Coordinates of all heavy atoms in Angstrom, one line a residue:
M1 N 55.7 4.4 -99.2 CA 55.4 4.1 -97.8 C 54.7 2.8 -97.7 O 53.8 2.6 -98.5 CB 54.6 5.3 -97.2 CG 54.3 5.1 -95.8 SD 53.4 6.5 -95.1 CE 51.9 5.7 -94.7
R2 N 55.1 2.0 -96.9 CA 54.5 0.7 -96.7 C 53.9 0.6 -95.3 O 54.7 0.6 -94.3 CB 55.4 -0.5 -96.9 CG 55.9 -0.6 -98.3 CD 56.8 -1.7 -98.5 NE 57.9 -1.6 -97.6 CZ 58.7 -2.6 -97.3 NH1 58.5 -3.8 -97.9 NH2 59.7 -2.5 -96.5
A3 N 52.6 0.7 -95.1 CA 52.0 0.6 -93.8 C 51.9 -0.9 -93.4 O 51.6 -1.7 -94.3 CB 50.6 1.2 -93.8
G4 N 52.3 -1.2 -92.2 CA 52.3 -2.6 -91.8 C 53.5 -3.4 -92.2 O 53.5 -4.6 -92.0
D5 N 54.5 -2.7 -92.7 CA 55.8 -3.3 -93.0 C 55.8 -4.3 -94.2 O 56.9 -4.8 -94.5 CB 56.5 -3.9 -91.8 CG 57.1 -2.9 -90.9 OD1 57.4 -1.8 -91.3 OD2 57.3 -3.2 -89.7
W6 N 54.7 -4.6 -94.7 CA 54.7 -5.5 -95.9 C 53.4 -5.2 -96.6 O 52.5 -4.6 -96.1 CB 54.9 -6.9 -95.5 CG 53.9 -7.4 -94.5 CD1 53.7 -7.0 -93.2 CD2 53.0 -8.5 -94.6 NE1 52.7 -7.7 -92.6 CE2 52.3 -8.6 -93.4 CE3 52.7 -9.4 -95.6 CZ2 51.3 -9.6 -93.2 CZ3 51.7 -10.4 -95.4 CH2 51.0 -10.5 -94.3
L7 N 53.3 -5.6 -97.9 CA 52.2 -5.3 -98.8 C 50.9 -5.8 -98.2 O 49.9 -5.1 -98.2 CB 52.5 -5.8 -100.2 CG 51.5 -5.3 -101.2 CD1 51.4 -3.8 -101.3 CD2 51.9 -5.9 -102.6
A8 N 50.9 -7.0 -97.8 CA 49.6 -7.6 -97.3 C 49.2 -6.9 -96.0 O 48.0 -6.8 -95.7 CB 49.8 -9.1 -97.1
G9 N 50.2 -6.5 -95.2 CA 49.9 -5.8 -94.0 C 49.2 -4.5 -94.3 O 48.3 -4.1 -93.6
A10 N 49.7 -3.8 -95.3 CA 49.0 -2.5 -95.7 C 47.6 -2.8 -96.2 O 46.7 -2.0 -95.9 CB 49.9 -1.9 -96.8
R11 N 47.4 -3.9 -96.9 CA 46.1 -4.2 -97.3 C 45.2 -4.5 -96.1 O 44.0 -4.0 -96.1 CB 46.1 -5.4 -98.3 CG 44.7 -5.7 -98.9 CD 44.7 -7.0 -99.7 NE 45.0 -8.0 -98.7 CZ 45.3 -9.3 -99.0 NH1 45.4 -9.6 -100.2 NH2 45.5 -10.2 -98.1
H12 N 45.7 -5.2 -95.2 CA 44.9 -5.5 -94.0 C 44.6 -4.2 -93.2 O 43.4 -4.1 -92.7 CB 45.6 -6.5 -93.0 CG 45.8 -7.8 -93.6 ND1 44.8 -8.6 -94.1 CD2 46.9 -8.6 -93.6 CE1 45.2 -9.7 -94.5 NE2 46.5 -9.8 -94.2
L13 N 45.5 -3.3 -93.1 CA 45.3 -2.1 -92.5 C 44.2 -1.2 -93.2 O 43.3 -0.7 -92.6 CB 46.6 -1.3 -92.4 CG 46.5 0.1 -91.6 CD1 46.2 -0.2 -90.2 CD2 47.9 0.7 -91.7
H14 N 44.3 -1.2 -94.5 CA 43.3 -0.5 -95.4 C 41.9 -1.0 -95.1 O 41.0 -0.3 -94.9 CB 43.7 -0.7 -96.8 CG 42.7 -0.2 -97.8 ND1 42.6 1.2 -98.1 CD2 41.8 -0.8 -98.5 CE1 41.6 1.3 -99.0 NE2 41.1 0.2 -99.2
F15 N 41.7 -2.4 -95.2 CA 40.4 -2.9 -95.0 C 39.9 -2.8 -93.6 O 38.7 -2.6 -93.3 CB 40.4 -4.4 -95.5 CG 40.3 -4.5 -97.0 CD1 41.4 -5.0 -97.7 CD2 39.2 -4.0 -97.7 CE1 41.3 -5.1 -99.1 CE2 39.2 -4.1 -99.1 CZ 40.2 -4.7 -99.8
G16 N 40.9 -2.9 -92.7 CA 40.5 -2.7 -91.3 C 39.9 -1.3 -91.0 O 38.9 -1.1 -90.3
L17 N 40.6 -0.3 -91.6 CA 40.1 1.1 -91.4 C 38.8 1.3 -92.2 O 38.0 2.2 -91.8 CB 41.2 2.1 -91.8 CG 42.4 2.1 -90.9 CD1 43.5 3.0 -91.4 CD2 42.0 2.6 -89.5
A18 N 38.6 0.6 -93.3 CA 37.4 0.8 -94.1 C 36.2 0.4 -93.2 O 35.1 0.9 -93.5 CB 37.5 0.0 -95.3
W19 N 36.4 -0.6 -92.3 CA 35.2 -0.9 -91.5 C 34.7 0.2 -90.6 O 33.6 0.2 -90.2 CB 35.6 -2.1 -90.6 CG 35.5 -3.4 -91.4 CD1 36.6 -4.2 -91.8 CD2 34.3 -4.1 -91.9 NE1 36.1 -5.3 -92.5 CE2 34.7 -5.2 -92.6 CE3 33.0 -3.8 -91.8 CZ2 33.8 -6.1 -93.2 CZ3 32.1 -4.6 -92.4 CH2 32.5 -5.8 -93.1
L20 N 35.6 1.2 -90.3 CA 35.1 2.4 -89.6 C 34.0 3.1 -90.5 O 33.0 3.6 -89.9 CB 36.2 3.3 -89.3 CG 37.2 2.8 -88.3 CD1 38.4 3.8 -88.1 CD2 36.5 2.6 -86.9
F21 N 34.3 3.2 -91.8 CA 33.3 3.8 -92.7 C 32.0 3.0 -92.8 O 30.9 3.5 -92.8 CB 33.9 4.0 -94.1 CG 35.0 5.1 -94.1 CD1 36.3 4.7 -94.2 CD2 34.6 6.4 -93.9 CE1 37.3 5.7 -94.3 CE2 35.6 7.4 -93.9 CZ 36.9 7.0 -94.1
V22 N 32.2 1.7 -92.8 CA 31.0 0.8 -92.8 C 30.2 1.0 -91.5 O 28.9 1.1 -91.6 CB 31.4 -0.7 -93.0 CG1 30.2 -1.6 -92.8 CG2 32.0 -0.8 -94.4
A23 N 30.8 1.0 -90.4 CA 30.1 1.2 -89.1 C 29.4 2.6 -89.1 O 28.3 2.7 -88.6 CB 31.1 1.1 -88.0
N24 N 30.1 3.6 -89.6 CA 29.5 4.9 -89.6 C 28.3 5.0 -90.5 O 27.2 5.5 -90.1 CB 30.5 5.9 -90.1 CG 30.0 7.3 -90.1 OD1 29.3 7.7 -89.2 ND2 30.3 8.1 -91.1
A25 N 28.3 4.3 -91.7 CA 27.2 4.3 -92.6 C 26.0 3.5 -91.9 O 24.9 3.9 -92.1 CB 27.6 3.6 -93.9
L26 N 26.3 2.4 -91.2 CA 25.2 1.7 -90.6 C 24.6 2.5 -89.5 O 23.3 2.5 -89.3 CB 25.8 0.4 -90.1 CG 26.2 -0.7 -91.1 CD1 26.8 -1.9 -90.5 CD2 25.0 -1.1 -92.0
L27 N 25.4 3.2 -88.7 CA 24.8 4.1 -87.7 C 23.9 5.2 -88.3 O 22.9 5.5 -87.8 CB 25.9 4.7 -86.8 CG 26.6 3.7 -85.8 CD1 27.8 4.4 -85.2 CD2 25.6 3.3 -84.8
Y28 N 24.4 5.8 -89.4 CA 23.6 6.8 -90.0 C 22.3 6.3 -90.6 O 21.2 6.9 -90.4 CB 24.5 7.4 -91.2 CG 23.7 8.5 -91.9 CD1 23.4 9.7 -91.3 CD2 23.4 8.3 -93.2 CE1 22.7 10.7 -92.0 CE2 22.7 9.3 -94.0 CZ 22.4 10.5 -93.3 OH 21.7 11.5 -94.0
L29 N 22.3 5.1 -91.2 CA 21.1 4.5 -91.7 C 20.1 4.2 -90.6 O 18.9 4.4 -90.7 CB 21.4 3.3 -92.5 CG 22.1 3.5 -93.9 CD1 22.5 2.2 -94.5 CD2 21.2 4.3 -94.8
A30 N 20.7 3.7 -89.5 CA 19.8 3.4 -88.3 C 19.2 4.7 -87.8 O 18.0 4.7 -87.5 CB 20.6 2.7 -87.2
W31 N 20.0 5.8 -87.7 CA 19.4 7.0 -87.3 C 18.3 7.5 -88.2 O 17.3 8.0 -87.8 CB 20.5 8.1 -87.2 CG 20.0 9.4 -86.9 CD1 19.6 9.9 -85.7 CD2 19.8 10.5 -87.8 NE1 19.1 11.2 -85.8 CE2 19.2 11.6 -87.1 CE3 20.0 10.6 -89.2 CZ2 18.9 12.8 -87.7 CZ3 19.7 11.8 -89.8 CH2 19.1 12.9 -89.0
L32 N 18.5 7.4 -89.5 CA 17.5 7.8 -90.5 C 16.2 7.0 -90.3 O 15.1 7.6 -90.3 CB 18.0 7.6 -91.9 CG 19.0 8.5 -92.5 CD1 19.4 8.1 -93.9 CD2 18.4 9.9 -92.6
V33 N 16.3 5.8 -90.0 CA 15.1 4.9 -89.8 C 14.4 5.3 -88.5 O 13.2 5.5 -88.5 CB 15.4 3.4 -89.9 CG1 14.3 2.6 -89.5 CG2 15.9 3.1 -91.3
V34 N 15.2 5.3 -87.4 CA 14.6 5.5 -86.1 C 14.0 6.9 -86.0 O 12.9 7.1 -85.4 CB 15.7 5.3 -85.0 CG1 15.2 5.8 -83.6 CG2 16.1 3.8 -85.0
S35 N 14.7 8.0 -86.5 CA 14.2 9.3 -86.3 C 13.1 9.7 -87.4 O 12.4 10.7 -87.2 CB 15.3 10.3 -86.5 OG 15.8 10.3 -87.8
G36 N 12.9 8.9 -88.4 CA 12.0 9.2 -89.5 C 12.4 10.3 -90.4 O 11.7 10.8 -91.2
E37 N 13.7 10.7 -90.3 CA 14.3 11.7 -91.1 C 14.3 11.4 -92.6 O 14.2 12.2 -93.5 CB 15.7 12.0 -90.7 CG 16.4 13.1 -91.5 CD 15.9 14.5 -91.2 OE1 15.2 14.7 -90.2 OE2 16.2 15.4 -92.0
W38 N 14.3 10.1 -92.9 CA 14.3 9.6 -94.3 C 13.1 10.1 -95.1 O 13.1 10.4 -96.3 CB 14.4 8.1 -94.4 CG 13.2 7.4 -93.9 CD1 12.9 7.0 -92.6 CD2 12.0 7.0 -94.7 NE1 11.7 6.4 -92.5 CE2 11.1 6.4 -93.8 CE3 11.7 7.1 -96.0 CZ2 9.9 5.9 -94.2 CZ3 10.5 6.6 -96.4 CH2 9.6 6.0 -95.5
R39 N 11.9 10.3 -94.4 CA 10.7 10.8 -95.1 C 10.9 12.2 -95.6 O 10.4 12.5 -96.7 CB 9.6 10.8 -94.1 CG 9.0 9.4 -93.8 CD 7.8 9.5 -92.9 NE 7.5 8.2 -92.4 CZ 7.8 7.7 -91.2 NH1 8.6 8.4 -90.4 NH2 7.5 6.5 -90.9
R40 N 11.7 13.0 -94.9 CA 11.9 14.4 -95.4 C 12.9 14.5 -96.5 O 12.9 15.4 -97.3 CB 12.4 15.2 -94.2 CG 12.4 16.7 -94.4 CD 12.7 17.5 -93.2 NE 14.1 17.4 -92.8 CZ 14.8 18.4 -92.5 NH1 14.3 19.6 -92.6 NH2 16.1 18.2 -92.1
R41 N 13.9 13.5 -96.5 CA 15.0 13.5 -97.5 C 14.7 12.8 -98.8 O 15.4 13.0 -99.8 CB 16.2 13.0 -96.8 CG 16.7 13.9 -95.7 CD 17.9 13.4 -95.1 NE 18.3 14.2 -94.0 CZ 19.2 15.2 -94.1 NH1 19.7 15.5 -95.2 NH2 19.5 15.9 -93.0
V42 N 13.7 11.9 -98.8 CA 13.5 11.2 -100.1 C 12.7 12.1 -101.0 O 11.9 13.0 -100.7 CB 12.7 9.9 -99.8 CG1 11.3 10.2 -99.4 CG2 12.7 8.9 -100.9
F43 N 12.9 11.9 -102.3 CA 12.3 12.7 -103.4 C 10.8 12.2 -103.5 O 10.6 11.1 -103.8 CB 13.0 12.6 -104.7 CG 12.4 13.4 -105.8 CD1 12.7 14.7 -105.9 CD2 11.6 12.8 -106.8 CE1 12.2 15.4 -107.0 CE2 11.1 13.5 -107.8 CZ 11.4 14.8 -107.9
H44 N 9.9 13.2 -103.4 CA 8.5 12.9 -103.7 C 8.1 13.8 -104.9 O 8.1 15.0 -104.8 CB 7.6 13.3 -102.5 CG 7.8 12.5 -101.3 ND1 7.4 11.2 -101.2 CD2 8.4 12.7 -100.1 CE1 7.8 10.7 -100.0 NE2 8.4 11.6 -99.3
P45 N 7.7 13.2 -106.0 CA 7.4 14.0 -107.2 C 6.3 15.0 -107.0 O 6.4 16.1 -107.5 CB 7.0 12.9 -108.2 CG 7.6 11.7 -107.8 CD 7.7 11.7 -106.2
R46 N 5.3 14.7 -106.2 CA 4.3 15.7 -106.0 C 4.8 16.9 -105.2 O 4.4 18.0 -105.5 CB 3.1 15.0 -105.2 CG 1.9 15.8 -105.1 CD 0.8 15.0 -104.5 NE 0.3 14.1 -105.5 CZ -0.9 13.8 -105.8 NH1 -1.9 14.3 -105.0 NH2 -1.3 13.0 -106.7
R47 N 5.6 16.6 -104.2 CA 6.2 17.7 -103.4 C 7.3 18.5 -104.0 O 7.4 19.7 -104.0 CB 6.6 17.1 -102.0 CG 7.1 18.2 -101.1 CD 7.7 17.5 -99.9 NE 9.0 16.8 -100.3 CZ 9.6 16.0 -99.5 NH1 9.1 15.7 -98.3 NH2 10.7 15.4 -99.9
D48 N 8.2 17.7 -104.7 CA 9.5 18.3 -105.1 C 9.6 18.5 -106.6 O 10.6 19.1 -107.1 CB 10.7 17.4 -104.7 CG 10.7 17.2 -103.2 OD1 10.4 18.1 -102.5 OD2 11.0 16.0 -102.7
G49 N 8.7 17.9 -107.4 CA 8.8 18.0 -108.9 C 8.8 19.4 -109.4 O 9.5 19.8 -110.3
R50 N 7.8 20.2 -108.9 CA 7.7 21.6 -109.4 C 9.0 22.4 -109.1 O 9.4 23.1 -110.0 CB 6.5 22.2 -108.7 CG 6.3 23.6 -109.2 CD 5.0 24.2 -108.6 NE 4.9 25.6 -109.0 CZ 3.9 26.4 -108.6 NH1 3.1 26.0 -107.7 NH2 3.9 27.6 -109.1
N51 N 9.5 22.2 -107.9 CA 10.7 23.0 -107.6 C 11.9 22.5 -108.5 O 12.7 23.3 -108.9 CB 11.1 22.8 -106.1 CG 12.2 23.7 -105.7 OD1 13.4 23.3 -106.0 ND2 11.9 24.8 -105.1
A52 N 12.0 21.2 -108.8 CA 13.0 20.7 -109.7 C 12.9 21.3 -111.1 O 13.9 21.7 -111.7 CB 13.0 19.2 -109.7
L53 N 11.7 21.4 -111.6 CA 11.5 22.0 -112.9 C 11.8 23.5 -112.9 O 12.4 24.0 -113.9 CB 10.0 21.7 -113.4 CG 9.7 20.3 -113.7 CD1 8.2 20.1 -114.0 CD2 10.6 19.8 -114.9
Q54 N 11.4 24.2 -111.9 CA 11.7 25.6 -111.8 C 13.2 25.9 -111.7 O 13.7 26.8 -112.3 CB 11.0 26.2 -110.6 CG 9.5 26.3 -110.8 CD 8.8 26.8 -109.6 OE1 9.3 26.9 -108.5 NE2 7.5 27.2 -109.8
T55 N 13.9 25.0 -110.9 CA 15.3 25.2 -110.8 C 16.0 24.9 -112.2 O 17.0 25.6 -112.6 CB 15.9 24.3 -109.7 OG1 15.2 24.5 -108.5 CG2 17.4 24.5 -109.5
A56 N 15.6 23.9 -112.9 CA 16.1 23.6 -114.2 C 15.9 24.7 -115.2 O 16.8 25.1 -115.9 CB 15.5 22.3 -114.8
A57 N 14.7 25.3 -115.1 CA 14.4 26.5 -115.9 C 15.4 27.7 -115.6 O 15.8 28.4 -116.5 CB 13.0 26.9 -115.8
W58 N 15.7 27.8 -114.3 CA 16.6 28.9 -113.9 C 18.0 28.6 -114.4 O 18.7 29.5 -114.9 CB 16.6 29.0 -112.4 CG 17.4 30.1 -111.9 CD1 17.3 31.5 -112.1 CD2 18.6 30.0 -111.1 NE1 18.3 32.2 -111.5 CE2 19.1 31.3 -110.8 CE3 19.3 28.9 -110.5 CZ2 20.2 31.5 -110.1 CZ3 20.4 29.1 -109.7 CH2 20.9 30.4 -109.5
Y59 N 18.5 27.4 -114.3 CA 19.8 27.1 -114.8 C 19.9 27.2 -116.4 O 20.9 27.5 -116.9 CB 20.2 25.6 -114.5 CG 20.6 25.5 -113.0 CD1 20.1 24.5 -112.2 CD2 21.6 26.4 -112.5 CE1 20.5 24.3 -110.9 CE2 22.0 26.2 -111.2 CZ 21.5 25.2 -110.4 OH 21.9 25.1 -109.1
L60 N 18.8 27.0 -117.1 CA 18.7 27.1 -118.5 C 18.4 28.6 -118.9 O 18.3 28.9 -120.1 CB 17.7 26.2 -119.1 CG 18.0 24.7 -119.0 CD1 16.7 23.9 -119.4 CD2 19.2 24.4 -119.8
R61 N 18.4 29.5 -117.9 CA 18.1 30.9 -118.1 C 16.8 31.2 -118.7 O 16.6 32.2 -119.4 CB 19.3 31.5 -118.9 CG 20.6 31.4 -118.1 CD 21.7 32.0 -118.9 NE 23.0 31.6 -118.3 CZ 23.7 32.3 -117.5 NH1 23.3 33.5 -117.2 NH2 24.9 31.9 -117.1
L62 N 15.8 30.4 -118.4 CA 14.5 30.6 -118.9 C 13.6 31.3 -117.8 O 12.5 31.7 -118.0 CB 13.8 29.3 -119.2 CG 14.4 28.5 -120.3 CD1 13.7 27.1 -120.5 CD2 14.4 29.2 -121.6
R63 N 14.2 31.5 -116.6 CA 13.6 32.1 -115.5 C 14.6 33.1 -114.9 O 15.8 32.8 -114.8 CB 13.3 31.0 -114.5 CG 12.5 31.4 -113.3 CD 12.4 30.1 -112.4 NE 12.0 30.6 -111.1 CZ 10.8 30.5 -110.6 NH1 9.8 29.9 -111.3 NH2 10.5 30.9 -109.4
K64 N 14.1 34.3 -114.5 CA 15.0 35.3 -114.0 C 15.5 35.1 -112.6 O 16.6 35.5 -112.3 CB 14.2 36.7 -114.1 CG 13.9 37.0 -115.5 CD 14.2 38.4 -115.7 CE 13.8 38.8 -117.1 NZ 14.9 38.9 -118.1
S65 N 14.7 34.5 -111.7 CA 15.2 34.3 -110.3 C 15.0 32.9 -109.9 O 14.2 32.2 -110.4 CB 14.4 35.2 -109.4 OG 13.0 34.8 -109.4
P66 N 15.9 32.4 -109.0 CA 15.8 31.0 -108.6 C 14.5 30.8 -107.7 O 14.1 31.7 -107.0 CB 17.0 30.8 -107.7 CG 17.4 32.1 -107.3 CD 17.0 33.1 -108.4
P67 N 14.0 29.6 -107.8 CA 12.8 29.4 -106.9 C 13.1 29.3 -105.5 O 14.3 29.1 -105.1 CB 12.3 28.0 -107.4 CG 13.5 27.4 -108.0 CD 14.3 28.5 -108.6
E68 N 12.1 29.4 -104.6 CA 12.3 29.2 -103.2 C 12.9 27.8 -102.9 O 12.4 26.8 -103.4 CB 11.0 29.4 -102.5 CG 11.1 29.4 -101.0 CD 11.8 30.7 -100.4 OE1 11.7 31.7 -101.1 OE2 12.4 30.6 -99.4
Q69 N 13.9 27.7 -102.0 CA 14.5 26.5 -101.7 C 14.1 25.9 -100.4 O 13.9 26.7 -99.4 CB 16.1 26.6 -101.8 CG 16.6 27.2 -103.0 CD 16.2 26.3 -104.3 OE1 16.2 25.1 -104.2 NE2 16.0 27.0 -105.4
G70 N 14.0 24.6 -100.3 CA 13.6 24.0 -99.0 C 14.9 23.4 -98.4 O 15.9 24.0 -98.3
L71 N 14.8 22.1 -98.1 CA 16.0 21.4 -97.5 C 17.1 21.3 -98.5 O 18.3 21.5 -98.2 CB 15.6 20.0 -97.1 CG 16.6 19.1 -96.5 CD1 17.2 19.6 -95.2 CD2 16.1 17.7 -96.3
Y72 N 16.8 21.0 -99.8 CA 17.8 21.0 -100.9 C 17.2 22.0 -101.9 O 16.1 22.3 -102.0 CB 17.9 19.6 -101.5 CG 18.4 18.6 -100.5 CD1 17.5 17.6 -100.1 CD2 19.7 18.6 -100.0 CE1 17.9 16.6 -99.2 CE2 20.1 17.7 -99.1 CZ 19.2 16.7 -98.7 OH 19.6 15.7 -97.8
N73 N 18.1 22.3 -102.9 CA 17.5 23.0 -104.0 C 17.0 22.0 -104.9 O 17.2 20.8 -104.8 CB 18.5 24.0 -104.7 CG 19.4 23.4 -105.8 OD1 19.2 22.3 -106.2 ND2 20.4 24.2 -106.2
G74 N 16.2 22.4 -105.9 CA 15.4 21.4 -106.7 C 16.3 20.4 -107.5 O 15.8 19.3 -107.7
L75 N 17.5 20.7 -107.8 CA 18.3 19.8 -108.5 C 19.5 19.3 -107.7 O 20.5 18.8 -108.3 CB 18.8 20.4 -109.8 CG 17.6 20.7 -110.8 CD1 18.2 21.5 -112.0 CD2 16.9 19.5 -111.2
S76 N 19.6 19.6 -106.4 CA 20.7 19.2 -105.5 C 22.0 19.8 -106.0 O 23.0 19.1 -106.0 CB 20.7 17.7 -105.4 OG 19.6 17.3 -104.8
V77 N 22.0 21.0 -106.5 CA 23.2 21.7 -106.9 C 23.2 23.0 -106.2 O 22.2 23.6 -105.9 CB 23.3 21.8 -108.4 CG1 24.6 22.5 -108.9 CG2 23.1 20.5 -109.1
S78 N 24.4 23.6 -106.0 CA 24.4 24.9 -105.4 C 23.6 25.9 -106.1 O 23.8 26.0 -107.4 CB 25.9 25.4 -105.3 OG 26.0 26.7 -104.8
P79 N 22.8 26.7 -105.5 CA 21.9 27.6 -106.2 C 22.6 28.9 -106.7 O 22.0 29.8 -107.3 CB 20.8 27.9 -105.2 CG 21.4 27.8 -103.9 CD 22.4 26.7 -104.1
T80 N 23.9 29.1 -106.4 CA 24.5 30.3 -106.8 C 25.2 30.1 -108.2 O 25.7 29.0 -108.5 CB 25.6 30.8 -105.8 OG1 26.5 29.7 -105.7 CG2 24.9 31.1 -104.5
R81 N 25.3 31.1 -109.0 CA 26.0 31.0 -110.2 C 26.7 32.3 -110.5 O 26.3 33.4 -110.0 CB 25.1 30.6 -111.4 CG 24.1 31.7 -111.8 CD 23.4 31.2 -113.1 NE 22.0 31.6 -113.0 CZ 21.2 31.6 -114.0 NH1 21.7 31.3 -115.2 NH2 20.0 31.9 -113.8
S82 N 27.8 32.3 -111.2 CA 28.6 33.5 -111.5 C 28.1 34.2 -112.7 O 27.7 33.7 -113.6 CB 30.0 33.2 -111.7 OG 30.5 32.1 -111.0

């Protein structure tokens, strides 16, 4: 399939549509800054380090139950296992 009827036209279409993703990313970053949400999402060792270590211990089966999770789990991986 050739979008744009020629190879360079397809490339132009590809990069043109990629700008939608760039615009979306810029809007998201602006929202993070304006709303202050970035403070909650950034890793703070004092706040999140203990949970990360406890989650690692659970994945290594050194702990019987997973730790309490906040916004993310300690290692940013799904907390369920089979």
